[in-house]
Amino acid sequence: MGNTRSSGGLSTAQQAAKFLGVSALAGAVMAGLALPAVGALGLAAKGTVEEFDGIPANLKTPPLSQRTTILDAKGGEIAKVYSRDRTIVKLNDVSPYMRQAIVAIEDARFYEHGAVDLKGVLRAVNTNAQDGGVSQGASTLTQQYVKNVFVEEAGNDKEKVAEATQQSIGRKIKELKYAIKVEKELGKKRILENYLNITFFGQQAYGIEAASQRYFSKSAKDLKLEQAALLAGLVQSPSRYDPINAPNAAKARRDTVLRRMAEVKDITPAQAAAARKKPLGLKVSMPRSGCITAVRGAGFFCDYVRETLLNDPTFGKTAEARAKRWTQGGLTIRTTLDPQAQESVQRSIKKHVYQSDPVATAVTLVEPGTGKVLGMGQSRPYGFGENETQINLSADKSMGGSNYGFQVGSTFKPITAAAAIEQGKKPYQRYSSPYKMKYPSPVTTCKGTWSNDEGATVENENEKEVGPYGMKEATAKSVNTYFVQLISDIGVCPVTRMADKMGAKRADGKEHNQVPSLTLGSEGFSPLTMANAYATFANRGVYCSPVFIESITGPGDKKLKVPQSKCSRAMSEKTADTINTLLRGVVEDGTGKQAGLQSRPSAGKTGTTDERRAAWFVGYTPNMAGAVWVGGPGAKGVKMENITIGGVPHDKVYGADTPGPIWKDAMSGALDGKPAPNFVNVQIKDPNQRKPRDDKKPRDHRPGRDRGNDNGGQDNPWPDISLPPDLIGGGNGNGGNGNGNGGWRFPR
């Protein structure tokens, strides 16, 4: 084949002949006629007939992607998110000037021709023959609409977008057949409405309503003549005629549209002249999309909602289906976020930890019994700048959180205590609890036994912490050796099973390690997980999985199914009530005293990890639970010694002195004005322990009253308590007035 260009493409004559063949084909199809294959034109047409007949008749129109609005529990807006900013409107809600302007400049004979404008085709053939390519396509509004449907269907796939917009004969043929069908099924008004809603106007604005809001901060129905002309002119090339970045080119294009409107007699020449004299008059509303724009520091809560839609099978069986639903948008999502709780979280964070501090904090509040997440915030805000992050420090890895979570320290001990009580241990169970000891060995696990082959040791925070202790005192003082003896006694398996039943899953999604150090919080968890686990105690033993979404309304006010909290009993009411009593002691007289709420009953537990790389306070009332973590947000963490946090210097950071006050302030504000129910208290009293003598009463010196009968070493009076040999005394009691010289000795 001769007459080819140096690029290898068709010659000008061949391009014209091929385009004319398609045009003739279109005319023939519209008339219902057969096209004879005669000469070179006929051969070109014959090839296109076969290609034409192979195209499906029905155009599958994808739902138009729109913005999604995320609301809090009270209906207040948190953020708008979208892949394409679009709000669909009816044709009657578009200014008449806009309807006239877009038709005048893009397809003046729109109401006179069918799917194809043959006069326009002949004009385009002449232009293309002169240019040596397909520079002018003679596309009608209907054909442009069809092309935009293909672009919309391509989404963000660059290859598919390029295919949908390429200047080729094949694409034109495809457009023609679909355009004919669309004209027949929809009619002119509906086509114009769809076109105005699908078209891209630049600056991330899709559809006339978004464009009107973007450039003029008003609804499309209120557009003036000169404003409508400006927007109509953008369609041909949104970047070239961008009024923000190229105002002179935009004005020239606007004036072209005004002159064209006068030529087709939509407006008078005087109206056109008056409009051309006016400035662009922009009132730009810059696009605000995504969770980065969320109010009240709720960016990460917003992001968790997004992760829920992308991961929960409720929103689609496959990841692709869920992603498509999120991208298409058009949703109104009402969440569980309590604006009062969220504002309180943010106030407390800003008060106690600065964004620029070397460490960060994350706070999550949940509602016991429903699983509703009421508040979620962190000191490193959602963003891409310095001291900002896209990692949700409150969430598990699978939901946008850190890779491993954060070691929780002693906040895990109540889970061990709950497992022990469920196994039959009494809340007054006593252990020797020395300051330092080797891990007991062997210890039963879910998979066999664990042995302390390396002679690993554990010690308490303070050398003065020496037992024996009962469970209440050991919990209040957070005695490490007590809880190591406790988990070694009952085995690791009941503890990991209790953790699972309370929703205390590792942040990395892996199974729990079957080791006794688990009780000391050696594994990484997220603040959301810990808050929800402690909510199980508050809910008297019933665990409820966390939920972020109350309801979703889709396009056309269609109600969508949303995930529901799943509740199950993790422990008996009596066990939960016992733990609540133990943890009330922590905030009343123990390590968490600084965190105790003054206006209502509260319970909780402090936690500090090795080298103070993480500090926690997790606590609750009967109607709200919350977890606070403080530590280095990176993989290595920060050793929190000789450090200043929130302007306050610390020699050493403890769970009580930094996370505790954050929790107290966050909870106080969140609960302000809400009911203050009480816990069900349990009496924790050791029936084998003698009641302390009241020293104010005079001694009874009646003969024989205090006569000692010790005649040597004693057996252990508490056979259920494991005590080391150095605590077992021997000796000879000397009777008399009861001043025995021997027997038991318990270091204090």
Side-chain angles (χ1 to χ4, degrees):
M1 184 178 291
N3 299 323
T4 60
R5 291 176 291 175
S6 60
S7 62
L10 296 176
S11 69
T12 300
Q14 289 169 330
Q15 287 277 4
K18 205 162 191 180
F19 207 149
L20 188 58
V22 175
S23 304
L25 171 65
V29 171
M30 291 170 63
L33 302 175
L35 184 70
V38 181
L41 176 60
L43 289 174
K46 182 178 180 181
T48 54
V49 167
E50 293 173 356
E51 191 173 352
F52 189 91
D53 289 341
I55 299 172
N58 293 322
L59 175 67
K60 294 181 180 180
T61 306
L64 295 183
S65 58
Q66 302 181 65
R67 67 175 61 175
T68 285
T69 303
I70 301 177
L71 308 175
D72 62 33
K74 303 294 184 183
E77 184 176 307
I78 297 173
K80 284 186 172 69
V81 295
Y82 48 80
S83 60
R84 293 182 175 176
D85 185 12
R86 178 187 282 120
T87 301
I88 295 174
V89 292
K90 298 291 185 182
L91 192 60
N92 289 337
D93 290 325
V94 178
S95 164
Y97 290 128
M98 187 65 220
R99 291 179 247 162
Q100 293 169 335
I102 199 71
V103 171
I105 195 64
E106 290 296 319
D107 186 1
R109 288 170 32 80
F110 176 63
Y111 293 106
E112 299 170 24
H113 60 66
V116 180
D117 183 4
L118 291 182
K119 286 185 178 180
V121 168
L122 292 173
R123 183 179 66 250
V125 168
N126 181 54
T127 302
N128 293 335
Q130 294 176 10
D131 293 347
V134 189
S135 62
Q136 190 176 112
S139 293
T140 63
L141 274 182
T142 307
Q143 289 173 266
Q144 289 185 50
Y145 166 64
V146 170
K147 181 181 73 173
N148 279 315
V149 169
F150 295 147
V151 172
E152 183 73 21
E153 190 174 31
N156 296 322
D157 188 318
K158 293 182 179 180
E159 290 185 5
K160 289 184 178 179
V161 170
E163 182 181 337
T165 57
Q166 66 179 329
Q167 292 288 355
S168 68
I169 296 298
R171 182 178 67 80
K172 287 293 181 184
I173 294 171
K174 195 174 182 180
E175 276 182 16
L176 283 173
K177 185 162 187 177
Y178 285 133
I180 294 166
K181 187 73 173 178
V182 167
E183 280 270 354
K184 188 180 296 184
E185 290 185 348
L186 298 184
K188 295 293 185 180
K189 282 190 175 182
R190 184 66 184 277
I191 290 170
L192 181 57
E193 177 182 298
N194 288 2
Y195 177 83
L196 286 169
N197 278 309
I198 201 172
T199 300
F200 180 54
F201 288 87
Q203 290 290 332
Q204 302 181 37
Y206 289 80
I208 187 58
E209 180 66 19
S212 183
Q213 294 289 351
R214 180 76 72 254
Y215 297 108
F216 300 109
S217 299
K218 62 166 59 175
S219 175
K221 68 175 183 287
D222 299 322
L223 288 169
K224 297 178 181 178
L225 171 59
E226 67 275 11
Q227 295 170 336
L230 175 72
L231 297 183
L234 286 174
V235 171
Q236 186 183 86
S237 180
S239 58
R240 184 192 306 173
Y241 302 123
D242 183 347
I244 297 174
N245 298 312
N248 292 334
K251 186 178 185 304
R253 178 65 176 167
R254 181 201 70 175
D255 293 348
T256 298
V257 175
L258 289 168
R259 280 191 290 269
R260 184 61 176 156
M261 291 179 73
E263 288 173 5
V264 298
K265 297 183 172 28
D266 285 329
I267 58 175
T268 66
Q271 285 177 302
R276 289 198 300 271
K277 292 179 181 178
K278 293 184 178 181
L280 295 182
L282 299 179
K283 187 179 179 182
V284 178
S285 296
M286 293 307 294
R288 288 179 55 81
S289 171
C291 294
I292 196 171
T293 67
V295 299
R296 293 188 295 271
F300 291 101
F301 183 96
C302 169
D303 194 65
Y304 203 103
V305 170
R306 182 184 72 88
E307 291 287 347
T308 300
L309 267 81
L310 292 176
N311 287 280
D312 197 299
T314 304
F315 300 107
K317 293 182 179 180
T318 65
E320 183 180 6
R322 295 190 292 271
K324 187 175 182 180
R325 169 163 284 181
W326 175 256
T327 301
Q328 287 175 350
L331 309 174
T332 299
I333 304 174
R334 184 180 285 264
T335 70
T336 61
L337 188 76
D338 177 8
Q340 177 182 333
Q342 182 64 21
E343 287 173 359
S344 182
V345 165
Q346 287 304 115
R347 281 197 307 269
S348 182
I349 288 172
K350 290 180 179 180
K351 176 181 176 181
H352 295 284
V353 182
Y354 298 157
Q355 182 178 339
S356 59
D357 283 342
V359 296
T361 187
V363 182
T364 301
L365 305 181
V366 302
E367 184 176 68
T370 66
K372 293 179 181 179
V373 180
L374 306 176
M376 176 180 282
Q378 60 191 54
S379 59
R380 298 285 174 92
Y382 193 105
F384 305 90
E386 186 177 0
N387 294 321
E388 295 179 339
T389 182
Q390 297 174 68
I391 298 174
N392 187 345
L393 301 174
S394 287
D396 289 346
K397 177 183 178 181
S398 63
M399 298 300 283
S402 64
N403 286 333
Y404 306 104
F406 309 102
Q407 289 186 328
V408 295
S410 295
T411 59
F412 193 89
K413 289 173 180 173
I415 298 175
T416 302
I421 293 171
E422 285 286 288
Q423 291 294 304
K425 292 295 181 183
K426 303 300 181 184
Y428 47 81
Q429 172 71 48
R430 296 174 70 83
Y431 290 102
S432 58
S433 315
Y435 162 65
K436 185 175 182 178
M437 62 179 286
K438 289 183 178 180
Y439 278 92
S441 177
V443 177
T444 60
T445 69
C446 295
K447 300 178 180 179
T449 58
W450 173 88
S451 298
N452 188 5
D453 297 329
E454 298 179 357
T457 62
V458 59
E459 61 187 47
N460 298 326
E461 174 71 23
N462 193 318
E463 290 186 7
K464 295 181 180 180
E465 289 176 357
V466 179
Y469 290 119
M471 191 178 291
K472 184 175 183 179
E473 193 174 8
T475 303
K477 292 183 176 182
S478 199
V479 180
N480 290 338
T481 56
Y482 178 91
F483 282 93
V484 165
Q485 288 179 294
L486 180 60
I487 193 173
S488 299
D489 193 356
I490 66 171
V492 177
C493 200
V495 178
T496 58
R497 287 176 177 168
M498 176 59 71
D500 288 341
K501 287 192 287 186
M502 295 175 65
K505 308 280 188 179
R506 286 173 45 146
D508 60 8
K510 296 181 179 179
E511 292 184 359
H512 296 292
N513 289 320
Q514 297 288 315
V515 293
S517 62
L518 174 76
T519 191
L520 304 180
S522 58
E523 295 187 327
F525 297 85
S526 67
L528 171 59
T529 290
M530 293 306 294
N532 216 49
Y534 272 51
T536 307
F537 296 138
N539 196 35
R540 302 191 71 192
V542 175
Y543 165 76
C544 295
S545 60
V547 289
F548 284 69
I549 300 171
E550 291 266 23
S551 64
I552 298 181
T553 303
D557 292 330
K558 181 181 178 181
K559 297 289 185 181
L560 273 64
K561 185 179 179 182
V562 299
Q564 301 294 317
S565 178
K566 298 177 181 178
C567 299
S568 58
R569 181 159 291 284
M571 68 193 77
S572 69
E573 284 189 355
K574 185 176 181 181
T575 295
D577 293 341
T578 302
I579 298 297
N580 295 339
T581 302
L582 292 173
L583 296 186
R584 285 196 68 178
V586 173
V587 299
E588 290 172 356
D589 303 306
T591 58
K593 197 170 183 180
Q594 290 174 262
L597 301 179
Q598 297 177 351
S599 60
R600 62 188 65 233
S602 61
K605 185 74 185 72
T606 56
T608 311
T609 66
D610 289 346
E611 296 187 313
R612 287 174 167 74
R613 295 187 183 274
W616 290 76
F617 187 84
V618 188
Y620 54 97
T621 67
N623 53 347
M624 191 177 292
V628 176
W629 160 86
V630 175
K636 295 182 179 179
V638 174
K639 190 174 181 179
M640 293 187 290
E641 295 182 359
N642 299 314
I643 190 173
T644 297
I645 303 174
V648 179
H650 299 267
D651 293 333
K652 295 181 179 180
V653 170
Y654 296 89
D657 63 17
T658 303
I662 296 172
W663 181 89
K664 182 177 183 178
D665 289 346
M667 290 283 287
S668 295
L671 288 166
D672 186 34
K674 290 181 170 57
N678 211 332
F679 294 105
V680 176
N681 290 321
V682 173
Q683 291 294 323
I684 300 177
K685 184 179 179 181
D686 185 351
N688 296 318
Q689 196 170 14
R690 295 178 180 177
K691 184 177 180 181
R693 185 183 61 79
D694 188 345
D695 288 336
K696 293 182 180 180
K697 293 182 179 180
R699 291 180 179 271
D700 186 349
H701 292 291
R702 286 179 295 174
R705 177 72 174 179
D706 297 316
R707 196 172 299 276
N709 295 312
D710 296 334
N711 294 315
Q714 298 188 60
D715 291 331
N716 184 345
W718 296 287
D720 60 338
I721 303 177
S722 175
L723 297 174
D726 64 340
L727 294 184
I728 301 177
N732 296 310
N734 291 326
N737 292 321
N739 298 317
N741 297 319
W744 290 89
R745 56 187 178 89
F746 292 102
R748 296 293 180 187

